[in-house]
Amino acid sequence: MGLDMGLDKHSKVENERFNFSTTTSGSEQPSSPWQNFKNSFKPALEPNEHYLTTTTKKDERELTDIERININAANTNLQRKLKIRHLQMISIGSSIGTGLFVGTGQALANGGPAGIVIAWIITATAVFATMQGLGELAVTFPVSGGFNLYASKFLEPGIGFAVGWNYFLQFFVLLPLELVAGAITVKYWNNSINSDVFVIIFWIVIVILTNLPVSWYGEAEFVFSMIKILAVIGFIILGIVLICGGGPNHKFVGGKYWHNPGPFANGFKGVLSVIVTASFSYGGTEMIALTAAETNSPRKSLPKAIKQVFFRILIFYIGSIIMISCLVPYNDSRLFGKSSVDATASAFTIAIVNGGIKGLPSVINAVILISVLSVGNASVYATSRSLNSLAEQGMAPKWTGYIDRAGRPLAAIWISDIFGLFALIAAKNDAQEAAFNWLLALSGLSSIFTWMSINMSHIRFRRAMSVQGRDITELPFRSQVGVWGSWYGFILNFLFLVAQFYIALFPLGTKPNAYDFFLGYLGLPVVLVSWLGYKIWKNDWRLFIRAGDIDIDTGRVNIDPDILQQEIAEEKAALAEKSIFVRIYNFWC
């Protein structure tokens, strides 16, 4: 009921927000484009306050925290401006960035060719299962905050608080990191200009992009993702040619680097370290859930975007990893860059140089630069929507949830943009770089915690439906791997935490020490302290919400079950007449 009321209210006013201004006499007059632009920064209408007032009067009681969380998230002022093509590109390209183009180089050096292939495939299965459960939740509950809200709604608010703030920190620190990566990438062409110049240039570009309406974010990511996708596909095709000896030097490569220097760089320990790297590189796949509250027609657009994660993982990540493992030996000295954002350590660039091709390394570095802008743009989107959701849930200062008439969470966006200037400090000297690394360590395990919360939220949602006598046929989209897939994802993500603990305790290439341990595992105590702090603040010591008490109605899309089943039956009948190839494609995409 909550979402229906909020959406109806939005639909009545949304078409009038930018077409008229109210004079002092109360009459409505057409506005100029400049006046519309100025008015767009004014506060949005407040459906939440009106709804809470009427609900409280009706029930004659004060709402509980979880009731307020559910209602506020369902009646957000964010606007549904993202289209299907935007979501498809966001889902495909959201995590294709320096983690793939640069991070795989260090991973190859640590794990060897077999190590990175095994690690990325294992991690891919966990991400696929997690995204399926997330898809079911996001299509059923297209509300503000996504997985952040699901943790509060289906587990308990303390977990939502801890996961939400940790996710915010992950992408909050990512913007200055990407700006530093961009400045380092430019040094490939010109090493004489001060890096701060390029940091400022890239920062201004991202500030402009992030302060435009959300539809512009969708357009920017559409273009960025298209370029990255074409580059990865081109690299895979080129990699096959080079492996078969079709390069300028006509040397057949085959699988010789799997034999010499060998398939594994550091044995089982090396594979574990690469699994940790792989899980970090997939970070961002869950961001599609944050777009749910700003998606036009979530029932049709979100399932396609969610299901395409499988192909992204299979083709872009695994395909690229296989090419790299065959074209670059793990003992190549160029893989050991000075930092995790050093583009000169990109295995993509090294593979092309080894193939004897001139000019293309510059193209790859240009793609890396575009990826920097894309991930920086996406990071501000993630932090602003996460902070806005926390404010709506009463878990952050109310002013940080300010949304203007264009549907932009302006306060949260500006906080994220301003912190991006930390990039000017981060690369100055070793001491400041260490401070930057500690900031990264605060949220170093954020992706894994987020995925685990998604897995458990889906499990608890299905449990609540069962206990409350509801049938899964009510769901507009169902996970293709069901509850067992979420259990698989949860267990595998827990094992990733165990692997990270082992690597943090016994790091590669050095003896056990406190510095490396806390740098790699600081995220866990931060999450625990956040969860405990919320418990003390609210004096709420329940560990979970009982399945019978979970609210599985507020925030749900307004779809009549009978009409839904009729639509699904018609879609299946139409699909049955198609060829086997179309049916297979439709199942996965």
Side-chain angles (χ1 to χ4, degrees), residues 270-539:
V271 175
L272 289 182
S273 71
V274 177
I275 284 179
V276 172
T277 304
S279 64
F280 294 159
S281 75
Y282 284 123
T285 54
E286 70 290 327
M287 195 183 297
I288 191 70
L290 291 178
T291 68
E294 298 173 271
T295 299
N296 184 17
S297 183
R299 186 200 161 233
K300 293 183 178 180
S301 55
L302 281 174
K304 287 183 176 293
I306 291 291
K307 290 193 288 186
Q308 284 187 354
V309 170
F310 174 77
F311 280 111
R312 177 181 65 187
I313 291 171
L314 183 65
I315 297 175
F316 301 136
Y317 272 91
I318 307 302
S320 300
I321 291 296
I322 291 175
M323 295 303 108
I324 289 170
S325 68
C326 292
L327 292 171
V328 183
Y330 71 73
N331 58 358
D332 192 308
S333 60
R334 290 169 293 181
L335 291 174
F336 299 90
K338 294 181 180 179
S339 73
S340 60
V341 295
D342 191 348
T344 61
S346 170
F348 286 73
T349 303
I350 296 171
I352 294 174
V353 171
N354 289 350
I357 300 177
K358 298 180 179 179
L360 270 184
S362 291
V363 174
I364 291 295
N365 279 275
V367 173
I368 293 174
L369 193 57
I370 291 172
S371 298
V372 164
L373 294 175
S374 174
V375 176
N377 186 34
S379 68
V380 176
Y381 181 88
T383 55
S384 60
R385 271 57 182 184
S386 296
L387 184 56
N388 172 71
S389 174
L390 290 167
E392 288 178 340
Q393 296 181 58
M395 298 175 179
K398 185 177 180 180
W399 64 269
T400 61
Y402 177 90
I403 299 178
D404 66 11
R405 294 186 183 180
R408 296 168 297 201
L410 274 186
I413 289 174
W414 290 349
I415 290 171
S416 303
D417 285 338
I418 292 172
F419 186 73
L421 292 174
F422 188 78
L424 296 172
I425 303 173
K428 289 295 184 182
N429 55 50
D430 292 341
Q432 289 160 334
E433 183 178 350
F436 191 66
N437 288 337
W438 281 109
L439 282 174
L440 285 172
L442 289 174
S443 58
L445 301 173
S446 178
S447 291
I448 298 177
F449 292 137
T450 299
W451 296 341
M452 291 176 70
S453 74
I454 292 169
N455 297 139
M456 193 51 62
S457 294
H458 180 233
I459 292 169
R460 293 295 295 165
F461 167 61
R462 284 291 192 94
R463 174 63 179 164
M465 289 197 69
S466 175
V467 169
Q468 297 179 31
R470 307 288 282 272
D471 195 273
I472 61 173
T473 57
E474 298 179 20
L475 303 178
F477 171 74
R478 281 173 280 178
S479 167
Q480 293 168 304
V481 291
V483 176
W484 289 110
S486 291
W487 274 114
Y488 171 81
F490 180 83
I491 293 171
L492 211 53
N493 281 308
F494 176 77
L495 293 177
F496 293 161
L497 282 181
V498 175
Q500 173 65 4
F501 179 82
Y502 177 75
I503 295 301
L505 193 59
F506 303 101
L508 286 174
T510 186
K511 295 180 180 180
N513 61 88
Y515 180 86
D516 286 329
F517 176 78
F518 284 105
L519 199 63
Y521 223 70
L522 184 60
L524 179 60
V526 168
V527 167
L528 291 177
V529 169
S530 299
W531 175 78
L532 184 60
Y534 183 86
K535 291 295 185 182
I536 296 173
W537 173 32
K538 293 292 185 178
N539 195 27

